Every structure is written in C-alpha cells, then in structure tokens.
Amino acid sequence: MKKFLSIVLSILMVASLSFSAFAASSEAVVKTTSGKFGITEMIDKNYRVIRTFKRDEVNNNIQARLGKIDYSETKAMLLELGMEQDFIDKLSLDSLETYRRSKQLIGITSYTKSDADHNVEYVEEDVALAASAIINEAQQERIKLLANGDKVVQTRAQDTYEDSYMRVFYLVTHLGDGEYKYSTDARWLTMPMFRGKDSIGSCAQNGTVTPGTQYGWYEYDVTHTNFGRITYSYYNADISSSNYKNAVNGNWYGSAAIIDLPNDIFADYTNTVYTNYKVHFEYTGYVNYPELVSHFNTSGTYLHSTLHIELTAPSVSLNIFGNGSASIGIRVTGFKEIRSVELAITYRP
C-alpha cells in the first residue's frame, strides 16, 4: 500500500506541472534531413514533428522492373516518418504497395494532454511519455490491489481525475494525378475517465471524398482479475462501415468514423480494465483541379466526447476556425476534447 500511495503522490506532482500552450503554428524551429531516406524533418512551436518524403522515381521504377520490391524498405520509411510499428504491422499488401509507389508522403506527429476542465494542449514527447508511464504504473498497482480484494480508489470513480495523454499521427500521401490518401492514427497513452462515443477522421480543402475508400480499425488490451488471478488478452476489430460519416463545410470536405470506448468494470474480486486503445481511419480523394498547381490545408482529428452526444443517431460535423484550419468529428451536445493536427500541402501535377 505504501508503494501505491507513493505512485499516487507522483501522479499529483506530474499533474501539477504547468505546460506552456502555444497557438497553432506551422513555423518550424528545427529543420534537418535524417536517415537513409532523405526525409526532411521540422518541429513547430507546438512540439509537432513534421516529416516529408519525396519518391526517387528512377530507383522506384528500377525496383519494379527487376522484380526486387522489398516492403521492408517501405516499412522502415513509414517508421521514420512517424507511423508506429503496431500500425505498420497491420498494413495490407495493397496499402504497402500504395505507399511504395506514392510520389510524396508527409507525416505529422503530436502529443497532447487534456485536464479535468477539458483543456487540450500540445506537449513534448518525453513529457507525455513520462507522465503517462507514472499514471499507467499506478493503474497496474490498483489492479493488483483490487485482485487481492483491497478497497482502493477505482479508476472510474467520479471524484477523481487523471490527466489524459494521446499520440496522434497524421499521414497525407500523394498517390499521383491529384489523388491523395488521408490516414489518421491515434493511441491513448492513458485511458480517459469518461468513455462513450468518440470519432477519428480527417478533412481537406478543395477536394473530394471517394466513396468506398473509407476504412478503419481499433484494438485494445484487456486486463481481467478474478479472485486474485490476473489474466491478459487483446481485442481488435474493423470499424463497421455504418459508422463512417462524411461532412462538408464550405470548401472543406472530410470523412470520419464513430467509435466506442470500452468502460472499465469493477466488482468485488472481479474487475476488467481496458488500456492501450489504438484506432486508425483513412480515405482517399482528389483535388478539385488536378491540372493546376494548388495549395490547400488539411487536418487529422480525434474528438473525445466527455459527457453527452445527440439523442438522435450519431453524426459528424466539420468546423472551420479563423486561422485557416478545421476539424471533423462527432456532433456532441456536452463537453468535447479536440485533438487536431494540421498540414499545408502544395499540389503539383
């Protein structure tokens, strides 16, 4: 119990830290070229890391003619762009071939923190990982105590709140001839207190959503305790196509998937806890004028609803902000936490 109390005190110390919040900005403070793929890297004032890869057409065509296509190179490139290994491992051969042949890939990675007042702010990667590790360690300690029948404060108690941390990776891929693939990956570093219906999606200016190209999946870990015995399992599934929703606002078009977060279950000597929730959503679309050079903004968004959603069937909306950015997500009537990452894209025929 002393160890558990010390962990809780550590959580309170982390929660009391103040992190500087900055207005959204794409102004780069660092610019380097890294790795064997020649990926350009920029870090903006919100600690978001933006990496760009441009295809070497000559080398790509030689590989295809010689039949020496090696997807390990493609996977290594995606990893360097910021896609996590668990998401790479779930890519189909068709997706890997799409990325191998694509003309340009731009990935942006962000870490965010939300507090009890539903404020969301960007934080540095090491800050998010350190804070979430402390919170998750305390949760594991609670699980062990609960498994032994100890009466401790439970994760879902309404009189407690832990900051929630999330990683969002957004990848925009130019497939050629004005066609783009928009892919959003999100992972809860610490599970949120309130869990219901959330959404994940992306939107872009002056483009389309190609019907039938939406696809998404989710997965999470399960820890079950039963009279002192702890067992671990894993669950994954595709998102039902009935939960794919499109939205339009002015010249912004987008698509999102509505998802459900599982609630922890606590009872005497028997408990089920869900952690490490990951979700992916993607779609493809075309720019409106593929024969012209054009500039457009795009964003990937995870929206977490904290209280209520509409009483009617869930839908999504697309909101435009004054700084030229936008977000897409489930329409809610209560509080919500929006985690968006934005990119400015230049399309060239």
Side-chain angles (χ1 to χ4, degrees), residues 65-85:
R65 287 198 301 270
L66 296 179
K68 295 182 178 180
I69 297 173
D70 184 357
Y71 290 125
S72 64
E73 290 268 316
T74 301
K75 293 178 180 180
M77 178 265 294
L78 292 170
L79 189 66
E80 191 171 319
L81 280 169
M83 185 180 291
E84 292 188 297
Q85 189 65 53

Side-chain angles (χ1 to χ4, degrees), residues 1 13 38 50 65-66 95 97 99 115 121 132 136-137 168 173 175 178 182 213 230 253 274 277 299 304 333 345:
M1 180 61 74
M13 291 177 63
I50 305 165
R65 287 198 301 270
L66 296 179
S95 292
E97 179 64 12
Y99 289 129
D115 60 23
E121 58 183 333
S132 59
N136 290 330
E137 184 180 355
V168 176
T173 306
L175 306 180
Y182 305 96
T213 61
I230 302 177
Y253 286 70
Y274 303 96
Y277 188 100
S299 68
H304 174 54
T333 56
I345 306 294

